[in-house]
Each structure stands twice: as C-alpha cells, then as structure tokens.
Amino acid sequence: MGKTINVILSGGVGSRLWPLSRKSKPKQYLPIFNEKSLFELTIERNKSVCEHVVLVGSVQNIDLAKENLKVLSHDIIVETVPRNTAAAIAFAALSRDPDDILIVTPSDHLIEGEEQYLQAIKRGIEFAKDGSLVTFGINPARPETGYGYIESEGNDVLSFREKPNYETAKDFLKSGNFLWNSGIFCFKASTYLQELERFDPKVYTASKCAFEAAKEGVLDEELSRKIPSKSVDYAIMERSDSIKVVPSFFHWSDMGSFDSLYDYLISKGHPKDESGNIVIGENHRHTVFLGLQNCVVVNTADAVLVMNKASAQDVKHIYELLEKENSPLI
C-alpha cells in the first residue's frame, strides 16, 4: 500500500481580503490566527495522518512556505502561471506513486474541531482505497451564499451546485440534504489521473507535458500556459461516477472574505464598538465610527479599506480593477 500524502494547494491570492492579502503575501501566510498562519495550521492538522507533504504553490510566494516545511518530509512544485485546481492536483499526482493516497487541502481554510476533522479524513481514506474520488461536505450552519453546495444522500453525491442566492440557500438548508463544498479531496494518485484523462484529456496531457519538462520542481512557463484553466470540480468531480462524499461536522470556513474574518476575530475577542464596528491591520490610530453599524476598517501601510460587512463579497471587484490598472497595490 502506498503512502498518505498531504497535497497543499497554495496558488490563490485572496483577492476578497485585499488590502491585507497581496500577491506577494496572500492570506494563507498572514499570521493573524492566534499568531499563526492558515498555512501553518494546515500543516499541523494533517501531519498526524500524512507521511509526506507535496506543496503546489505560486512562484510569487513559494518562499513564504519553506520555513514551515523544513522540518517535514516534503516536495515543492512551483507554478509559474496559475492554471487552477485540476492541473495543480495533476502535478501532485504525477509526482507520486500510483497507490499513494492524496489528501488534497487548500492552504487558506480555517478548521476547528480536530477530532471530527481526523475522523472524516480517515473515513475518506477508506473510500479512496476502494478507488473512489472523495469530497468532504460540511454540515451547513446557515444559508450561506458564498459557498458551493453538494446535494447528497448518505455518502452518494446527487449533484454539485454553484454558489446560490439567499433564497436558494435557505431552500438548501431546509431540505436537509445539502452540504457546503469544502474543497478538500481524497483519492489515489492513479485514480485521479485516470479520471482526469477520461473526462478532460486536454488538461491531463498538457499538465503531464508541463510536469515532465519541469526543472528542479519549477514548471515550464510556456508549456504551463497551454494547460486549460479548470477547477477540479468542473473538470472531474461534477462528471465522474466514482464520487463519494463524507458528511463532516468540524467547524470550517474558507476565510475567503472579510465577513468570515470578522466573525472569527469577534469570536476570539477582537475589540468592537457597541455598533459592531471593528478595525483590522496596521496603523492603530484611534478610530471612531459615527452613525455606522457592522463596518470594517482595514489598515495597511499603503492602503485603507472602509466597508460594510454586508459588502464583503464585493472586495474582489476592487482587486480586479487594481489588477487591470497594473497597480502596485496588489
């Protein structure tokens, strides 16, 4: 039997957490979770079940990970251009023995409830050994519009659903058979590659070419640009008939936006005023909110964001605008 490998995906830039999160130091490397980063916490919670780490990360910030990895058995695969999760996981699978079990985890999720987490992972490993592609669905706590959903019956997946509007999210919650799509996966390396070749041969072939041309773990840029940019959900999980879901009961957040970060910080005693307003970041000037409720001020050395918590999902539009302008602020 092969080894159990933690594949950590660290290619995102956290655009909805701008200006805290930047290309040079995205959210997974910010030490703001009890003075640890989400990347550190990801390593810690998986090391009891995994013998080795494969990090697939961006050339722009891969050095930030090395300090945390140096005490672990690990390999690093460096993406010169981002090509989404289907290709990123393919690179990791190509680097391992066919029978190795891959536990694929984003590097930027907050998970609490270690016992429930490990219980779910061990259940997923059993399904993976039998040749299934396993996803982990989180028992939903509220009608959330920022997450995708998995419609399920026991361990069987009926459908994957995109991020819903609020009314649809309420219907999902009421029906009782929808789970949040955590973006955590488990499967044999060979199973993943077989299903990728079956359902998206272009991604499979182009990823294999880029991987085989890599030098010292750094992927060839020209060949990487030829890889179609597709998520693993779209390329495989929504199409394969070998999917199993493990309903999971640990506390999970993708920490993808300031409303998630707000809720976390408040739960940990971060100061707020009587109207629920908070200040995050550097430059701790005396800040007063007048006539405002549930607002967030984010201070960094070169930018200030003032927003209502309800507009958290729209921060990415600011980031996209700055990206179009080739702004140094991203």
Side-chain angles (χ1 to χ4, degrees):
M1 182 54 67
K3 294 181 177 180
T4 305
I5 311 297
N6 184 196
V7 176
I8 302 179
L9 306 181
S10 187
V13 297
S15 60
R16 286 177 294 166
L17 283 179
W18 181 89
L20 284 184
S21 186
R22 310 289 180 102
K23 285 183 177 180
S24 59
K25 194 168 186 177
K27 63 175 179 175
Q28 58 266 36
Y29 299 114
L30 300 173
I32 56 176
F33 301 90
N34 288 332
E35 299 187 0
K36 291 187 176 181
S37 69
L38 294 172
F39 185 79
E40 286 179 83
L41 294 172
T42 300
I43 291 171
E44 286 180 6
R45 71 173 156 267
N46 289 293
K47 65 184 180 183
S48 66
V49 288
C50 296
E51 302 160 69
H52 187 81
V53 171
V54 175
L55 171 66
V56 184
S58 164
V59 68
Q60 292 174 307
N61 53 61
I62 202 75
D63 287 342
L64 297 171
K66 290 179 179 177
E67 183 67 24
N68 298 124
L69 289 172
K70 66 182 183 182
V71 296
L72 300 166
S73 171
H74 71 276
D75 293 303
I76 297 176
I77 299 171
V78 182
E79 293 183 295
T80 45
V81 287
R83 303 319 290 158
N84 217 319
T85 52
I89 298 169
F91 302 142
L94 288 161
S95 76
R96 301 306 308 172
D97 291 337
D99 283 339
D100 283 351
I101 301 289
L102 310 183
I103 298 171
V104 180
T105 61
S107 61
D108 56 358
H109 289 182
L110 181 70
I111 289 173
E112 296 176 312
E114 185 177 349
E115 187 178 330
Q116 295 97 321
Y117 175 78
L118 293 177
Q119 186 179 8
I121 292 295
K122 288 171 183 175
R123 182 77 175 116
I125 289 171
E126 293 307 310
F127 281 126
K129 286 177 180 176
D130 292 335
S132 294
L133 297 169
V134 183
T135 185
F136 296 84
I138 309 299
N139 191 47
R142 59 186 181 278
E144 174 62 56
T145 60
Y147 302 151
Y149 285 73
I150 301 167
E151 183 183 13
S152 63
E153 211 170 78
N155 297 113
D156 295 324
V157 173
L158 303 180
S159 69
F160 287 85
R161 303 293 184 92
E162 297 297 323
K163 295 174 184 178
N165 60 34
Y166 186 70
E167 290 304 314
T168 303
K170 284 201 297 186
D171 290 341
F172 285 173
L173 198 66
K174 191 176 178 181
S175 76
N177 63 334
F178 283 86
L179 303 165
W180 288 338
N181 187 350
S182 71
I184 302 169
F185 307 100
C186 180
F187 31 67
K188 284 183 186 176
S190 56
T191 303
Y192 179 79
L193 293 172
Q194 287 164 9
E195 293 294 272
L196 183 61
E197 185 176 23
R198 176 185 172 196
F199 289 106
D200 209 316
K202 288 183 179 178
V203 171
Y204 171 82
T205 301
S207 298
K208 193 166 185 285
C209 286
F211 177 79
E212 289 174 348
K215 293 179 181 177
E216 297 181 347
V218 180
L219 297 163
D220 183 89
E221 183 173 350
E222 188 178 341
L223 291 174
S224 293
R225 292 189 185 281
K226 295 178 180 179
I227 304 170
S229 180
K230 292 186 181 180
S231 71
V232 62
D233 282 338
Y234 185 74
I236 301 178
M237 304 302 283
E238 295 177 5
R239 303 158 78 182
S240 175
D241 52 7
S242 299
I243 310 293
K244 291 291 182 184
V245 63
V246 176
S248 305
F249 298 91
F250 49 87
H251 174 79
W252 170 90
S253 170
D254 72 349
M255 281 294 141
S257 56
F258 279 111
D259 50 355
S260 299
L261 184 58
Y262 176 102
D263 292 342
Y264 169 79
L265 291 173
I266 294 299
S267 76
K268 299 300 179 184
H270 189 86
K272 64 173 180 175
D273 71 10
E274 59 188 15
S275 299
N277 301 302
I278 70 169
V279 179
I280 302 173
E282 308 166 22
N283 303 325
H284 296 296
R285 302 183 187 93
H286 182 66
T287 304
V288 178
F289 298 86
L290 192 60
L292 300 172
Q293 290 183 318
N294 299 321
C295 286
V296 180
V297 170
V298 186
N299 282 309
T300 68
D302 57 358
V304 177
L305 172 68
V306 183
M307 56 164 280
N308 189 285
K309 181 189 169 192
S311 299
Q313 298 295 327
D314 296 328
V315 176
K316 65 181 178 183
H317 300 314
I318 300 170
Y319 185 94
E320 288 163 359
L321 183 62
L322 292 169
E323 194 168 35
K324 279 183 184 176
E325 296 171 352
N326 291 316
S327 171
L329 294 173
I330 62 168

